[in-house]
């Protein structure tokens, strides 16, 4: 699987930093989730409509992150999403965070596995055919 | 109205601080909400059951805060809740945040007005008789 | 004082919402601070350089917010900043949050008073002449 | 290495939940960090004094989390810390999150590797002899 890489810009605000002067480690996961949401939006899928109309949600199954160098207050970051694996109900992504842009310093290297669930039963759901096509690119 | 004052302890963690080394201003509102939730729990009301069974929720209508002195990473705080006004569907509280305990330095002085709503229609709801009695102390 | 109004777009992500399905009340203050930071940046002031080189920081002295209608997960918001008062060391702003854009529904009306401080002593500092000029527009 | 297990209670507030009605995935990392901070405090180490006096900080090098079952608004959680590996400048921990208490449902299984750094140079530092003794239990 060698999907295209999606890139989303994120600015570091005071809310993201901590008393060490750097981005608080849990907040990198927020940045990665913003990029995933925007990637899914770029495929034409709005998650609020998906939840309300189709009662389907994405949930994170597991995640890893390696923190290589700290992002700081006021930094401009580039967060990537790259599909690395896809089955009928789960998919995996690699996500990197760079300073400034994807040619900048690599700050964080993450992986995420997500599932597609029925919002009422929380049981695995099949990605709709059309979405599946979008995801497999 | 001269209700008793409820006090809830809060510890400042890295997640609460920012690159200025102090608590990020929006996070004082989290601390105040934790104290309100624990005060309501102390009255025998569990908000998750209230939402699920009675479809009733509390929402903040307006709030103010004055920041007198900064709380810092690792500080122990005491957050108060004092009922200042009560009608059938809204109520107001004064909330102070002190360092260490309520005899310590006053760091933040807040006010909150909250409404009690039907979770489905978001229209004002009457506080149930029993809750109303609890609130008026 | 009738400064121009600065507008900054904010998207509502899962991180901003809560179990009531709406934006958690403290997070509106994050949105307002992002808009202030971008407004200050638009005046040519980078707060990280200001802190590091000049040892000057902005801090919030007091704030108010009225929550008129809830923002929801996935909403696109427009957050405004308008200078309403200015002295040598403090300044006040009105900040509104609209759904979609500034012609959309008004969701939140806020005010903020901020001070300019010496980062080492936390004593009030004079806004540098050039900054002062920028602020008064 | 078979250290004792440290347990810290955490309550889920509105701030921690999201529009899916469950704890937002990044917030489990906040809960794990609170437990680590309290574990370190239980060893007699206050991180604010450590940073200010000794200019030493702990930073997260990498982390993983598996989300087995969602924690919900108002849940009471128990978060564990167990030292799994220790060298002169880094140490690893396993951290589990249970509903109610450590006999309750396992919701999240995490691992963390942390480094001990000089706060000025961000270079690895040796854990002071006394701390090292504390850590190795």
């Amino acid at each position: 699987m060698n999907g295209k890489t999606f890139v989303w810009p994120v600015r570091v605000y005071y809310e993201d930093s901590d008393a060490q002067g750097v981005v608080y480690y849990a907040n990198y996961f927020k940045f990665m989730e913003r990029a995933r949401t925007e990637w899914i939006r770029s495929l034409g899928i709005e998650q609020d409509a998906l939840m309300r109309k189709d009662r389907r949600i994405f949930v994170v199954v597991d995640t890893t992150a390696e923190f290589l160098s700290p992002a700081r207050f006021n930094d401009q970051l580039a967060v990537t999403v790259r599909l690395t694996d896809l089955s009928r109900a789960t998919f995996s992504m690699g996500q990197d965070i760079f300073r400034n842009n994807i040619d900048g310093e690599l700050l964080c290297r993450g992986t995420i596995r997500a599932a597609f669930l029925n919002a009422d039963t929380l049981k695995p759901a099949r990605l709709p055919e059309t979405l599946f096509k979008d995801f497999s690119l």
Side-chain angles (χ1 to χ4, degrees), chain A residues 66-133:
Chain A
E66 248 182 297
F67 305 102
L68 307 173
S69 184
R72 300 180 176 284
F73 166 62
N74 219 25
D75 277 354
Q76 181 66 47
L77 308 178
V79 186
T80 69
V81 188
R82 193 170 34 86
L83 194 63
T84 56
D85 194 40
L86 176 68
S87 71
R88 291 312 261 176
T90 69
F91 51 103
S92 299
M93 288 154 282
Q95 299 203 256
D96 294 329
I97 303 181
F98 298 91
R99 186 142 30 225
N100 294 319
N101 54 57
I102 56 168
D103 297 321
E105 186 184 7
L106 177 60
L107 306 179
C108 176
R109 194 155 37 199
T111 68
I112 298 272
R113 194 156 55 102
F116 191 61
L117 301 185
N118 181 306
D120 299 306
T121 62
L122 297 184
K123 301 286 180 208
R126 286 188 133 213
L127 285 164
E129 235 13 77
T130 53
L131 305 191
F132 188 77
K133 263 187 234 139

Side-chain angles (χ1 to χ4, degrees), chain A residues 56-73:
Chain A
R56 291 291 182 274
I57 54 177
F58 295 104
V59 302
V60 176
V61 175
D62 56 48
T63 188
T64 71
E66 248 182 297
F67 305 102
L68 307 173
S69 184
R72 300 180 176 284
F73 166 62

